[in-house]
Amino acid sequence: MSTAYFYAALAAGIAAVVVFLVLRVKCGGLKGLYSKAIASFFFLLTALSAAAVNPGHEVYAGLIVFGLVLGLSGDIWLDLKWIYEKDMEKFLNAGFIAFMIGHVFYIGAIYKFAGNWSVLTAVLPIIISVVVAIGNVIVSEKLLKLKFGKFRTIVGVYTFFLFMTFAVSAVAMLNNSFAKQWILTAVGGILFILSDAVLSNMYFKEGGNTKPNVIINHTLYYAAQFVIASSVLFIK
């Protein structure tokens, strides 16, 4: 199958994200939710198109697609919390859990298919991610004045899996002579970290839920998902 199908899905996805951002900022509510779900569907389609163009790697593609499906689910949960504010805590927890499990699929795919692992390179990302997760909660609350409250534990656990996606990708990239698929997952990991840094200010800092932050957060987030979806095209 021609790569044109992949690039068409990617281009349509970028257009859908632009439409979503306009509706999210101008209208919010159900229009924002529906357009967000449609935009998220396109990063699934991008991964599936990449798998069709680059056949023979169904397990890797499947793990990435499962991660993307959970990302789509998390997108819906997080937007529902703005629509049904009385259940905000429930939807926020559901969103955290969905995204966290999604990262588990990404991490599993990288560990399984990157190869060239030693005990040190396999364990090092885990150690670094534990330190970053603990440090993030402390620094964010003490220096950045974020108020995690009852979400402190889940924020810490989520941060571990979030950073693991980048850390494992970075080690895989170094272990495999900067193979394109691991460069993409590493870039996706960085974009996720930046996106969630903005999201933390939106959710846990007074006055942080501004329109510029909404645009920056979602732009970084969708870039991360589309970049990781694109790694399916280059897996060998």
Side-chain angles (χ1 to χ4, degrees), residues 36 72 74 84 86 121:
K36 186 177 190 181
L72 188 156
Y84 303 103
K86 65 178 182 179
T121 57

Side-chain angles (χ1 to χ4, degrees), residues 62-77:
L63 290 170
I64 296 299
V65 166
F66 272 117
L68 294 169
V69 168
L70 285 156
L72 188 156
S73 173
D75 292 337
I76 293 172
W77 292 126

Side-chain angles (χ1 to χ4, degrees), residues 50-154:
V53 171
N54 184 27
H57 307 286
E58 288 79 10
V59 177
Y60 179 82
L63 290 170
I64 296 299
V65 166
F66 272 117
L68 294 169
V69 168
L70 285 156
L72 188 156
S73 173
D75 292 337
I76 293 172
W77 292 126
L78 290 186
D79 257 33
L80 284 173
K81 86 183 193 65
W82 299 116
I83 297 172
Y84 303 103
E85 294 187 8
K86 65 178 182 179
D87 294 317
M88 180 177 287
E89 181 178 332
K90 177 173 67 177
F91 289 128
L92 183 54
N93 277 315
F96 267 123
I97 292 168
F99 284 122
M100 189 162 54
I101 299 173
H103 281 290
V104 171
F105 278 102
Y106 296 150
I107 293 162
I110 298 162
Y111 267 126
K112 181 172 177 59
F113 289 94
N116 297 324
W117 297 104
S118 66
V119 173
L120 176 61
T121 57
V123 173
L124 187 60
I126 299 173
I127 296 172
I128 294 173
S129 298
V130 169
V131 173
V132 169
I134 295 171
N136 174 64
V137 172
I138 294 172
V139 170
S140 295
E141 290 189 325
K142 297 295 184 182
L143 297 182
L144 302 180
K145 307 302 181 183
L146 302 187
K147 298 177 181 178
F148 295 131
K150 63 181 69 176
F151 297 103
R152 183 180 293 110
T153 299
I154 197 168

Side-chain angles (χ1 to χ4, degrees), residues 25-235:
V25 169
K26 289 185 173 292
C27 305
L30 289 175
K31 288 183 179 179
L33 174 62
Y34 293 148
S35 59
K36 186 177 190 181
I38 292 170
S40 298
F41 165 78
F42 275 102
F43 56 60
L44 281 176
L45 186 61
T46 298
L48 292 171
S49 300
V53 171
N54 184 27
H57 307 286
E58 288 79 10
V59 177
Y60 179 82
L63 290 170
I64 296 299
V65 166
F66 272 117
L68 294 169
V69 168
L70 285 156
L72 188 156
S73 173
D75 292 337
I76 293 172
W77 292 126
L78 290 186
D79 257 33
L80 284 173
K81 86 183 193 65
W82 299 116
I83 297 172
Y84 303 103
E85 294 187 8
K86 65 178 182 179
D87 294 317
M88 180 177 287
E89 181 178 332
K90 177 173 67 177
F91 289 128
L92 183 54
N93 277 315
F96 267 123
I97 292 168
F99 284 122
M100 189 162 54
I101 299 173
H103 281 290
V104 171
F105 278 102
Y106 296 150
I107 293 162
I110 298 162
Y111 267 126
K112 181 172 177 59
F113 289 94
N116 297 324
W117 297 104
S118 66
V119 173
L120 176 61
T121 57
V123 173
L124 187 60
I126 299 173
I127 296 172
I128 294 173
S129 298
V130 169
V131 173
V132 169
I134 295 171
N136 174 64
V137 172
I138 294 172
V139 170
S140 295
E141 290 189 325
K142 297 295 184 182
L143 297 182
L144 302 180
K145 307 302 181 183
L146 302 187
K147 298 177 181 178
F148 295 131
K150 63 181 69 176
F151 297 103
R152 183 180 293 110
T153 299
I154 197 168
V155 166
V157 174
Y158 172 73
T159 301
F160 167 78
F161 288 104
L162 169 69
F163 196 82
M164 270 287 287
T165 299
F166 165 69
V168 173
S169 296
V171 173
M173 180 179 67
L174 294 172
N175 279 349
N176 292 274
S177 302
F178 292 85
K180 289 180 181 179
Q181 63 269 29
W182 310 131
I183 293 175
L184 289 172
T185 56
V187 171
I190 293 172
L191 290 168
F192 270 130
I193 291 168
L194 294 174
S195 170
D196 284 334
V198 177
L199 192 68
S200 291
N201 277 278
M202 291 170 60
Y203 285 179
F204 302 115
K205 189 170 187 178
E206 186 175 350
N209 188 29
T210 64
K211 290 181 178 179
N213 277 347
V214 168
I215 294 171
I216 294 169
N217 163 246
H218 285 100
T219 299
L220 291 168
Y221 166 74
Y222 277 103
Q225 295 285 40
F226 279 110
V227 167
I228 287 180
S230 299
S231 71
V232 177
L233 185 66
F234 299 100
I235 188 70

